[in-house]
Amino acid sequence: MRRSLDCRFVLGDFQGRRTLQLLYVYAQVRRSLDCRFVLRDFQWRHTLQQLSTVNCQLSTAINEYAQQPELPSVWQNALSAVIEQIPATIRNQVSAIALDGTSSTVMLCDTQGIPVCEPILYNDGRGAAVTERLRAIAPANHTVLSATSSLAKLLWWQEGGLEAHPTTQFSLCGTGILPVIEKLYFLHQADWLAFLLHGKLGISDYHNALKLGFDVDTLCYPDWLIEGIAGAATPELPEVVAPGTPVGEIKVELGDRFGFPRHCTVYAGTTDSIAAFLASGVNSPGEAVTSLGSTLAVKLLSHTRVDDSRYGIYSHRFSNIFSPPFEGGAGGDLWLVGGASNTGGAVLRHFFTDAELDNYSTQIDPEQESLLDYYPLLKNGDRFPINDPNLPPKLEPRPTDSVEFLHGLLESIARIEARGYQLLQELGATPLTKVYTAGGGAKNAVWSAIRHRYLKVPVETPVHTAAAYGSALLAKQGSESILDIRF
């Protein structure tokens, strides 16, 4: 299966305020790698609305279901390629960098930060094999009680023991057997990529660490987690800081290689869906962002925290990142409540090309309900709003008319989205008032109209739909300690 890397950066300002400039770089490998850069220069006497755009296309043939020990090299090469595409005259002014990665894409590294086995991707359900142990460790209905959680993957690695020899570590890790190495670090994808830049191994953010079991109320690992994973095969868990926290200046050798200034600082990042949320410009509890990319993810800004593993619902801490970004005096504890489904654009692209999607969509009446009732998945298993690793796809009956088939798929994904928001509100989240759409699905006006019919609230496309922009805001906030996302 062929995946591509698209990298771009745009330099602009925040409506001409001062001379602070924003530079963001968007890079995605297998739907899971984002890199962000912020440029600021207080010496310039003018503001730039847009400097330039650079596109970098990298492709690699990867079997999505095979062992993938080469992925770290792909990610590392992609990161270097992104940076190299930035003109030297821009690189020497970059002052802040933040990265986001796909939630629950995890890896094991040695003390030098070298991966010792293949990463496990966000939607990999092999954790189902350790369900009983997971339930014995974690509290009822906890976020980690999912076959795809970071903790489930850690337990899956642990179950193999330490019988392996380092020279065969990749093949043995693929069977759930940990290699014999004195000390291992458990990292999320964004943690490892940031390490490549700042050189401090074992630093994460509390957005990525949520599905590992990190307690975002007390801001520490709970006793049940530490005790539950204790043993000879326990890797070092990452130190967790708030997103946007300065971690360290870029490594000297990288600064020299790429021409970054000595003060260029790497900041703790976030997950891809939260980055998309930040990009949207949401400014009031009750507003939400649906990310329609390869998968479907929803995030609702709420006064109330909601966590329920039965439905794959979890809450990210949001109140301490931005101060004060919201209208109407909203303050105090705020949460991003939501979940992520395996349905989405990957299913659509399995059946249709981009040109076909554009063409067929224009032939659909969004006000006419489709009678086809699907649950669009490419393989067994979903996470939200049904948390069942064995849930089978439902893609029958398939009509001969491609327009009718697409209509059924779009309508069915809209139903899943609506059911997700309905569950959030039934469980106590702030009532939904508006939905912004991020990701590639935001471009489909017919799909937006169908979703509006189900959601019964305004469905809008924000000015900035790329997660890239949200991570740029996060890096900007880290470099200034102030972020105003009302623009």
Side-chain angles (χ1 to χ4, degrees):
M1 184 174 294
R2 184 160 294 277
R3 302 294 182 190
S4 64
L5 165 68
D6 176 65
C7 315
R8 79 190 76 173
F9 72 89
V10 177
L11 175 67
D13 73 335
F14 289 103
Q15 299 179 350
R17 290 179 292 179
R18 300 190 302 177
T19 54
L20 179 73
Q21 309 301 316
L22 171 69
L23 172 67
Y24 74 83
V25 179
Y26 173 58
Q28 190 163 15
V29 178
R30 294 182 54 78
R31 311 179 299 276
S32 58
L33 167 62
D34 283 326
C35 317
R36 313 289 179 261
F37 298 78
V38 168
L39 167 69
R40 59 177 185 175
D41 179 357
F42 296 107
Q43 306 302 317
W44 293 355
R45 299 303 177 188
H46 63 283
T47 57
L48 300 175
Q49 296 299 326
Q50 181 170 335
L51 180 64
S52 61
T53 299
V54 171
N55 292 288
C56 171
Q57 292 289 338
L58 299 179
S59 296
T60 181
I62 297 174
N63 183 335
E64 188 161 5
Y65 305 108
Q67 296 183 20
Q68 298 159 17
E70 74 275 18
L71 276 180
S73 295
V74 173
W75 296 336
Q76 184 172 6
N77 292 337
L79 179 59
S80 296
V82 172
I83 296 173
E84 289 169 349
Q85 291 297 309
I86 304 171
T89 54
I90 301 299
R91 290 201 299 264
N92 64 24
Q93 299 173 73
V94 172
S95 66
I97 301 173
L99 296 89
D100 73 68
T102 305
S103 176
S104 289
T105 292
V106 297
M107 55 204 304
L108 289 174
C109 299
D110 64 16
T111 56
Q112 301 301 311
I114 299 172
V116 300
C117 59
E118 65 176 36
I120 302 181
L121 299 184
Y122 69 99
N123 61 347
D124 191 311
R126 71 184 72 183
V130 295
T131 297
E132 290 187 11
R133 184 180 172 197
L134 190 60
R135 289 176 177 169
I137 292 173
N141 293 329
H142 196 279
T143 302
V144 300
L145 293 173
S146 167
T148 59
S149 73
S150 300
L151 180 56
K153 293 161 184 170
L154 170 56
L155 295 179
W156 182 86
W157 266 317
Q158 281 190 316
E159 286 293 294
L162 292 173
E163 295 89 354
H165 188 279
T167 58
T168 56
Q169 56 194 328
F170 277 105
S171 61
L172 288 167
C173 271
T175 64
I177 300 176
L178 290 176
V180 179
I181 292 178
E182 184 175 349
K183 188 175 184 180
L184 293 173
Y185 284 85
F186 182 89
L187 299 175
H188 306 90
Q189 182 202 41
D191 308 339
W192 183 71
L193 288 167
F195 156 75
L196 297 180
L197 298 179
H198 56 60
K200 296 184 178 181
L201 187 62
I203 307 292
S204 188
D205 64 89
Y206 60 57
H207 288 161
N208 273 293
L210 178 72
K211 295 178 185 178
L212 179 56
F214 185 80
D215 191 324
V216 292
D217 270 327
T218 62
L219 297 180
C220 65
Y221 289 110
D223 291 340
W224 63 260
L225 173 61
I226 300 300
E227 295 169 2
I229 66 173
T234 302
E236 190 83 9
L237 300 184
E239 175 188 349
V240 179
V241 300
T245 298
V247 175
E249 293 183 350
I250 196 163
K251 293 191 294 186
V252 173
E253 58 268 31
L254 288 184
D256 293 341
R257 173 185 172 187
F258 294 116
F260 289 122
R262 295 291 184 184
H263 67 272
C264 179
T265 301
V266 181
Y267 293 81
T270 184
T271 66
D272 53 354
S273 61
I274 292 182
F277 184 94
L278 299 177
S280 70
V282 165
N283 59 16
S284 179
E287 295 182 345
V289 173
T290 295
S291 297
L292 290 174
S294 297
T295 59
L296 181 151
V298 305
K299 292 281 187 293
L300 170 63
L301 188 62
S302 174
H303 288 293
T304 306
R305 178 179 179 178
V306 178
D307 296 282
D308 197 322
S309 66
R310 294 175 300 170
Y311 309 109
I313 294 172
Y314 53 90
S315 295
H316 281 285
R317 189 184 186 101
F318 197 70
S319 53
N320 289 347
I321 307 176
F322 309 113
S323 175
F326 304 111
E327 294 180 345
D333 291 333
L334 291 171
W335 302 90
L336 289 183
V337 183
S341 170
N342 291 335
T343 193
V347 180
L348 300 179
R349 288 192 171 180
H350 180 77
F351 294 105
F352 303 102
T353 66
D354 288 348
E356 288 172 335
L357 286 171
D358 291 340
N359 180 31
Y360 296 155
S361 292
T362 62
Q363 302 177 52
I364 295 172
D365 180 359
E367 300 305 317
Q368 178 66 46
E369 182 178 359
S370 171
L371 299 180
L372 296 170
D373 184 17
Y374 298 142
Y375 203 102
L377 299 170
L378 291 180
K379 61 180 180 178
N380 286 356
D382 201 10
R383 300 169 285 163
F384 167 84
I386 300 174
N387 188 8
D388 180 358
N390 300 311
L391 183 71
K394 183 181 179 183
L395 294 165
E396 299 289 342
R398 178 172 177 176
T400 56
D401 185 343
S402 295
V403 174
E404 185 181 352
F405 181 49
L406 176 60
H407 189 182
L409 291 174
L410 296 179
E411 190 112 4
S412 297
I413 296 173
R415 291 190 195 106
I416 293 171
E417 177 191 12
R419 176 55 181 158
Y421 281 118
Q422 180 185 0
L423 271 174
L424 300 184
Q425 294 168 93
E426 289 176 355
L427 294 172
T430 300
L432 184 68
T433 60
K434 182 186 295 185
V435 173
Y436 293 92
T437 309
K443 303 174 184 177
N444 192 317
V446 171
W447 198 4
S448 295
I450 292 172
R451 294 169 51 232
H452 174 263
R453 176 157 49 83
Y454 280 96
L455 294 170
K456 303 186 187 311
V457 297
V459 175
E460 299 182 4
T461 300
V463 174
H464 303 286
T465 62
Y469 197 78
S471 283
L473 294 178
L474 183 61
K476 174 179 180 288
Q477 178 267 344
S479 64
E480 289 191 317
S481 296
I482 297 174
L483 175 60
D484 180 1
I485 61 174
R486 294 172 295 177
F487 58 92

